[in-house]
Amino acid sequence: MTKNGPLALVFHTLVVVFMLAPLVIVCLVAFTPENTLTLPTAGFSLRWFKAVFAHPDFVQSFWNSLWLAFMAATIAVAAAVPAALAITRWEFPGRQFLNALFLSPLIIPHLVLGVAMLRLFAVVGATGSFAWLVAAHVVIVTPYVMRLLIAAISGFDRSVEQAAYSLGASEATVFRRVTLPMILPGVTGGWLLAFINSFDELTMSIFITSPSTVTLPVRMYMYATESIDPMMAAVSALIIGITAAAALLLDRVYGLDRILVGQK
Amino acid sequence: MSSFSTDPAASPLSGEPQDAAGGFRKRFAPALMAGPATLLFATLVLTPLLLTLLLSFNEYDHATGRTHGFTLSHYAEVLTDGYYLEIFLRTFRVAALATAICAIIGVPEALILSRMRNPWRSVFLLVVLAPLLVSVVVRAFGWSMLLGPDGVVNMILQAVGIGRTRLLYTEGTVVVALVHVMLPFMVIPVWTSLQKLDPAVEQAALSFGASRPTTMVRVIAPQILPGILSGSLIVFGLSASAFAIPGLLGGRRLKMVATVVYDQYLGELNWPLGATVAVILLVANLIVMLTYHHVVEGQYRKRMG
């Protein structure tokens, strides 16, 4: 194996600093005791975190986002498990088309999906509906679940299922006791990845949220275009915290490197 | 493709219940299983896209705000008006620049990462890729703090004697933040193609007397080229349609395609015109993605067997 020279390591250090700088600065400024966006030089303070929780709009948006991400991830998994099984195990007309359709939200810009949903909601009279917002989020997170599930289902040894059948297990039992446990890492990994992506989503949501369904990223965006104060840093730090917690969990159940670069 | 039959891998398993309804079930099992997801995607992907396409051909009545009839005038306006042309050109320029910088930084970084030993390799791979999971609003906000008038970068500039510089609301800032958001999308495919590379080939080239630069250019580069191209197309497509970064760091003056669509929909309320820009953006994006699929992957398969 070729080793990295000193020049390469300097380059690498700069890249790491570049990648971490905006996240680190946000987390530091969140603890400032000052009224302006300054680094906490005089001491740490939690006043801006308290300010977030005293701000009813942000609290409301936080619960909206959490509930939305939970629902969207759960429904996406429930719809994707049978669909992924159908696509990987059965040959039927339109199979390739369905596969492409389920992955299509990955290559359609979220901006386009946002305006398209806005139009649909206006046509069917669903403007401002939370249920339709959930459905829209299900669509954009399903591809992530699909990819993990298809990988999990293709990579498993079906002779185990055959053994269960030949021992007299019913189809329902085989699914519940054999198939599901074997694809479980794909299911839970997919759920967490879907949760993170829904929780973070801005570009589509900004078009289809109403004042009562505004999500946290949309609220932050609106707030940041008006004024910027350290409370934004505190909200950001909270989001980083939640994302990190979900990512750690994801690492435990599936392996982050496997999700990010597709291998162990 | 034969009608409703199972493929060899999915043929009825020995011992699988073969009741009278077996044929019926085999026939409709995939439809039932994929049905809910298909219904969802037909309702929430295909229908809204079709509605938006139709909307882009509607006339817009500025007095009443109603949309009706059929017209090509929005397309004519967007494709000929200097204002829109400038915005499309700026978006293209910013996306191309972000893509080039991502390649210049991402390719060597992926190489460096692949030459590290564990645990450093896993740790730094995560450090470089995990910011992908953090909301883009948070990252945009981080950059606005770093580059703001009292931000860290301006403090450094003052300390080294360059003096305070206006960094926010410039194209440069938008490019820097886009590079930050998109870099993982470049590192991932390059890293993946590096993993497929057989280290023995590099060793062979070196032991036959090839210099390190020659090995890099003649042996490694051709093999990771598909990864670089794939990463470039993803980065370009995502940058060209990016919304949060130009919205928060470009300000009101520095319009890009995504922020213009937003303005038309939620500011001007001229939905047909907004839909037209969105349709053009989508078509351009699909052309880029499908070109990649056909040209790059096809060539790659041919060359690699």
Side-chain angles (χ1 to χ4, degrees), chain A residues 186-216:
Chain A
V187 173
T188 45
W191 189 92
L192 282 164
L193 195 58
F195 181 91
I196 293 175
N197 274 287
S198 167
F199 190 78
D200 284 349
E201 213 286 331
L202 166 79
T203 310
M204 182 188 74
S205 309
I206 204 164
F207 287 96
I208 52 173
T209 48
S210 67
S212 65
T213 62
V214 166
T215 62
L216 199 52

Side-chain angles (χ1 to χ4, degrees), chain B residues 30-45:
Chain B
L32 284 175
M33 289 159 83
T38 310
L39 195 69
L40 190 77
F41 274 70
T43 317
L44 283 145
V45 177

Side-chain angles (χ1 to χ4, degrees), chain A residues 1-4 8-9 11-12 15-16 18-23 25-26 29 37 39 75 79-80 82-83 85-98 101-113 115-123 132 135-136 138-139 142-143 158 161-162 165-166 169-171 193 196-197 199-203 206-207 217-218 220-222 224-226 228-229 232-233 235-237 239-240 243 247 250-251 256-257 260-261 263, chain B residues 1-7 9-10 13-17 25-27 29-30 33-34 36-38 40-49 51-52 55 58 67 104-105 108-109 111-117 121-122 124-139 141-146 150 152 155 176 179-180 183-184 188 191-192 195 202-203 206 212 238 241 243-244 247-248 252 257-259 261-262 265-266 271 275 278 281-282 285-286 289-290:
Chain A
M1 188 186 281
T2 331
K3 277 206 178 139
N4 288 310
L9 291 177
F11 179 86
H12 170 70
V15 172
V16 168
F18 173 74
M19 288 311 287
L20 291 182
L23 302 179
I25 194 103
V26 162
V29 172
L37 291 170
L39 290 170
I75 299 172
L85 280 168
I87 283 179
T88 36
R89 292 190 168 178
W90 298 79
E91 182 60 69
F92 55 94
R95 185 176 143 253
Q96 289 301 331
F97 170 76
L98 280 192
L101 179 65
F102 294 151
L103 296 178
S104 67
L106 291 176
I107 62 163
I108 303 172
H110 281 197
L111 172 87
V112 175
L113 282 173
V115 301
M117 300 281 185
L118 178 64
R119 178 65 176 158
L120 175 76
F121 290 8
V123 169
W132 282 82
V138 170
V139 163
T142 298
R158 296 203 66 188
E161 282 182 342
Q162 292 177 25
Y165 281 123
S166 67
S170 70
E171 270 179 273
L193 195 58
I196 293 175
N197 274 287
F199 190 78
D200 284 349
E201 213 286 331
L202 166 79
T203 310
I206 204 164
F207 287 96
V218 174
M220 281 183 72
Y221 183 89
M222 302 290 196
T225 49
E226 308 273 306
I228 286 187
D229 62 35
M232 286 287 295
V235 180
S236 300
I239 292 189
I240 293 174
T243 310
L250 191 56
D251 194 38
L256 261 188
D257 32 5
L260 291 167
V261 292
Q263 50 130 39
Chain B
M1 199 185 292
S2 63
S3 63
F4 295 103
S5 65
T6 55
D7 68 6
L13 303 159
S14 56
E16 199 165 0
R25 292 174 49 172
K26 226 185 293 162
R27 191 171 276 252
M33 289 159 83
T38 310
L40 190 77
F41 274 70
T43 317
L44 283 145
V45 177
L46 298 180
T47 315
L49 288 179
L51 285 173
T52 305
L55 183 65
N58 274 170
T67 56
I104 292 168
I105 300 177
E109 179 62 19
L111 265 167
I112 292 169
L113 284 172
S114 74
R115 287 177 177 175
M116 285 187 169
R117 280 172 215 287
R121 179 182 160 121
S122 306
F124 284 118
L125 193 64
L126 278 189
V127 166
V128 173
L129 300 185
L132 197 65
L133 299 173
V134 178
S135 182
V136 72
V137 190
V138 172
R139 287 182 280 170
F141 181 61
W143 281 108
S144 79
M145 284 174 46
L146 279 173
D150 300 313
V152 175
M155 271 157 58
V176 168
V179 169
H180 182 256
L183 194 60
I188 291 169
W191 167 271
T192 310
Q195 296 310 299
E202 189 184 346
Q203 296 292 317
L206 290 171
R212 276 190 192 285
L238 289 173
S241 57
F243 169 73
L248 286 173
R252 292 203 165 79
V257 171
T259 43
V261 173
Y262 180 78
Y265 266 91
L266 302 180
W271 287 21
L281 180 68
L282 176 63
N285 233 286
L286 289 182
M289 293 292 176
L290 297 177

Side-chain angles (χ1 to χ4, degrees), chain B residues 198-249:
Chain B
D198 185 352
V201 180
E202 189 184 346
Q203 296 292 317
L206 290 171
S207 67
F208 278 121
S211 66
R212 276 190 192 285
T214 309
T215 313
M216 185 56 79
V217 173
R218 308 263 316 256
V219 177
I220 298 178
Q223 297 192 72
I224 60 172
L225 201 59
I228 301 173
L229 283 171
S230 152
S232 302
L233 287 162
I234 296 168
V235 170
F236 185 84
L238 289 173
S239 302
S241 57
F243 169 73
I245 298 288
L248 286 173
L249 300 173

